[in-house]
Amino acid sequence: MANDREVLREIWDGKLPICFQLAQEEIMEIQQPDAFYVMVPRLSYFPLVTDKMKRHFLRYISQENSDSEMWLDYNGQPLKWHYPIGFLYDLYCGNDPQLPWHLTVHFTKFPEDVLLHCTNKDVVEAHFMSTVKEADVLKHRGQVMSTMQKKDHNQLWLGLQNDKFDQFWAINRRLMESHGDSEGFKHIPIKLYSDDGTCSQRLVSPKNNDGSRKTLQQMIAELYPDKLDVQLRTHGIVIPTDTPLQWLSEHLSYPDNFLHMCVF
Amino acid sequence: MSITTITFDEFLASAKEFVEKSEKLGDGWALKDNKTDNLKTYLRKDTFVQCEDGSMNHLLKVEYVIFYNLSYGVPSFSFNAWNSSGTLVTLDDIRKMSFIQINEKDFYSVITQQEHPIFQRPYFIMHPCHTETLLAAFKNKSMNIIVTFLGLITPLIRLNLPLEYGL
């Protein structure tokens, strides 16, 4: 049960300062556009927070590109919009903080072999709901999401989209309850990313074979038996290794109900 | 209807058996293993498919990939398709070309473009929640779970499945 409300609130309120700059090859006016500075929620997705920035830059690009799909890069790396913003920052800058985070805005040469298209916010919603459902399959065999009503699903999405903590957690708390008679989820929804961006997924139980609560250290020992000093970062924090996994999953998951962790 | 899942080891054993049969039949499937992450082992077949779009005929290069979906505990079907000039085909193109025989209403909930869990690049992936319920009806009767799985989806996908797999 996600009881530690202070932690939930701190995670929810996490923000990142970002400086968006238009790519030089996109600029069609003699006048250089100002950079666009904004604080964005770590838990959100770029398509949900870039409308104003896009309007700012549209004045400076070629008319024929004004309907083109916008995309972002950091140091030449295209940014996957379907990853939460805070996770993308941890992935690229976790070991070397860069604030504000300087991102480049493009309207041409969409890298189709790397990025998914995102033509509207419905695409973000569909991706988000699909991921929450996947997490629920891992935690409760999908039973919580399938017994919720459509309006509950809508409330999860609207809570995230509109940055409303209480609205979101009124529904999400049900997804953080234990599975059946046990004290914990069936499996922990977790994705682990190495420095090169490779994602690994594993079936991780919140309990050890003796029934005790599995800690982060015990999971690390299971998954990386040959490596020394593995550390995991999420939400910009290096997690103490004695933290119980079930608690982590309840309190430090992203709104999509996954722990997105960087391994280093 | 009950939901059935398989373990990765069951998937892998079935995949190996399936590939042996494919080699005998000359059907072109290959098992691609991943040295650093065994869970990312997958089945792949590259082929060409002719599709109609109204009165036009198109030749598509298609890559089919079957992989194990860890969250759902089922095999998953994914593919990408390129047209004759090497451009990745869009989901709308695919629907219009009748590459997939699903009515428009259901189409976008069955197949979506997603980041592939193995390749981490955009692929068209069949939603795994349909696989669970489909497999449940057939699991106990099957000689090979991959053959069963493909048998269930070939009515939807332009994918030739020789009857000899069933022998």
Side-chain angles (χ1 to χ4, degrees):
Chain A
M1 184 78 69
N3 281 333
D4 198 328
R5 194 178 165 93
E6 269 186 37
V7 170
L8 295 180
R9 188 81 226 199
E10 286 275 353
I11 295 295
W12 183 271
D13 288 336
K15 293 282 200 296
L16 273 173
I18 300 186
C19 169
F20 292 102
Q21 290 173 305
L22 188 56
Q24 200 61 39
E25 67 269 15
E26 306 286 359
I27 300 170
M28 297 300 290
E29 297 291 324
I30 295 175
Q31 185 187 354
Q32 293 287 300
D34 290 334
F36 188 92
Y37 290 86
V38 65
M39 292 286 279
V40 302
R42 272 181 150 269
L43 303 185
S44 191
Y45 297 91
F46 277 119
L48 303 184
V49 300
T50 51
D51 282 349
K52 196 178 288 188
M53 176 270 282
K54 182 177 179 182
R55 285 198 299 273
H56 170 68
F57 288 129
L58 277 179
R59 287 175 274 152
Y60 299 92
I61 68 169
S62 161
Q63 189 70 25
E64 74 199 56
N65 294 328
S66 58
D67 284 335
S68 295
E69 186 170 350
M70 185 178 68
W71 60 282
L72 306 171
D73 84 61
Y74 170 65
N75 272 359
Q77 283 273 31
L79 295 181
K80 298 178 173 179
W81 61 260
H82 59 282
Y83 288 174
I85 295 166
F87 166 69
L88 285 167
Y89 179 79
D90 288 347
L91 188 62
Y92 290 113
C93 302
N95 289 321
D96 182 23
Q98 311 264 331
L99 296 177
W101 195 19
H102 281 82
L103 302 181
T104 306
V105 180
H106 301 266
F107 290 90
T108 57
K109 298 175 187 147
F110 189 90
E112 283 215 315
D113 54 338
V114 178
L115 298 183
L116 299 170
H117 284 288
C118 180
T119 49
N120 56 57
K121 291 182 179 56
D122 288 346
V123 176
V124 186
E125 179 182 0
H127 166 79
F128 173 77
M129 296 309 300
S130 170
T131 311
V132 174
K133 174 170 182 171
E134 182 181 349
D136 188 48
V137 165
L138 285 162
K139 294 195 278 189
H140 313 106
R141 296 188 190 277
Q143 283 161 17
V144 177
M145 282 294 278
S146 61
T147 56
M148 277 185 187
Q149 296 175 43
K150 178 64 178 171
K151 68 179 173 63
D152 298 325
H153 292 176
N154 286 343
Q155 186 169 330
L156 272 183
W157 170 244
L158 290 173
L160 176 66
Q161 191 180 16
N162 300 321
D163 199 14
K164 294 201 187 310
F165 174 87
D166 290 321
Q167 187 181 12
F168 177 83
W169 273 100
I171 304 298
N172 203 53
R173 61 179 178 77
R174 289 156 62 182
L175 286 161
M176 292 304 179
E177 287 167 2
S178 289
H179 169 61
D181 299 329
S182 62
E183 289 174 26
F185 302 139
K186 183 168 189 296
H187 294 113
I188 301 288
I190 184 167
K191 294 188 180 183
L192 300 157
Y193 302 79
S194 56
D195 273 354
D196 64 4
T198 304
C199 175
S200 296
Q201 203 192 336
R202 293 288 182 271
L203 284 183
V204 177
S205 171
K207 289 185 175 175
N208 295 307
N209 288 337
D210 62 4
S212 61
R213 300 224 289 175
K214 186 175 291 183
T215 63
L216 194 66
Q217 180 57 52
Q218 286 162 331
M219 182 193 81
I220 290 171
E222 272 178 28
L223 300 185
Y224 305 98
D226 301 330
K227 289 184 181 175
L228 303 174
D229 294 328
V230 171
Q231 295 192 83
L232 297 178
R233 176 186 292 110
T234 191
H235 303 292
I237 304 159
V238 178
I239 308 298
T241 52
D242 56 346
T243 313
L245 287 186
Q246 177 69 27
W247 184 92
L248 272 180
S249 191
E250 291 165 2
H251 294 86
L252 267 66
S253 288
Y254 278 81
D256 64 9
N257 279 233
F258 270 85
L259 286 164
H260 294 277
M261 304 194 104
C262 298
V263 182
F264 66 100
Chain B
M1 176 180 290
S2 70
I3 289 177
T4 191
T5 60
I6 62 171
T7 64
F8 174 74
D9 287 342
E10 285 172 323
F11 168 83
L12 191 58
S14 290
K16 288 176 177 174
E17 189 188 344
F18 177 78
V19 162
E20 285 173 9
K21 200 120 198 188
S22 175
E23 281 167 2
K24 286 175 187 166
L25 299 173
D27 193 35
W29 287 92
L31 189 70
K32 304 287 188 180
D33 58 5
N34 188 305
K35 299 294 195 288
T36 57
D37 191 343
N38 196 39
L39 290 172
K40 292 185 172 179
T41 300
Y42 62 96
L43 288 160
R44 173 173 160 178
K45 176 178 176 176
D46 293 332
T47 188
F48 291 91
V49 175
Q50 191 149 319
C51 297
E52 309 84 39
D53 178 7
S55 59
M56 295 276 294
N57 270 323
H58 300 275
L59 193 66
L60 298 181
K61 178 188 183 244
V62 184
E63 175 192 315
Y64 299 115
V65 173
I66 299 170
F67 63 100
Y68 181 71
N69 188 307
L70 193 74
S71 298
Y72 286 85
V74 296
S76 274
F77 184 81
S78 58
F79 66 92
N80 262 331
W82 295 264
N83 65 25
S84 51
S85 54
T87 304
L88 199 64
V89 171
T90 70
L91 200 55
D92 276 336
D93 291 337
I94 284 165
R95 191 176 59 77
K96 286 170 190 163
M97 288 179 187
S98 304
F99 179 72
I100 296 177
Q101 324 282 338
I102 303 175
N103 67 66
E104 183 168 1
K105 180 174 176 286
D106 292 330
F107 185 86
Y108 295 105
S109 66
V110 175
I111 305 278
T112 53
Q113 193 188 49
Q114 294 171 45
E115 179 179 275
H116 202 289
I118 293 180
F119 310 125
Q120 293 182 252
R121 291 185 273 113
Y123 268 74
F124 298 110
I125 303 187
M126 181 174 283
H127 202 284
C129 68
H130 295 85
T131 309
E132 283 173 297
T133 50
L134 288 172
L135 283 180
F138 293 93
K139 184 177 182 184
N140 292 332
K141 304 169 191 167
S142 175
M143 298 285 291
N144 181 286
I145 205 77
I146 305 297
V147 173
T148 299
F149 173 68
L150 285 177
L152 293 170
I153 67 173
T154 46
L156 305 177
I157 302 284
R158 286 288 197 87
L159 192 155
N160 181 55
L161 187 69
L163 291 176
E164 287 84 355
Y165 277 111
L167 304 182

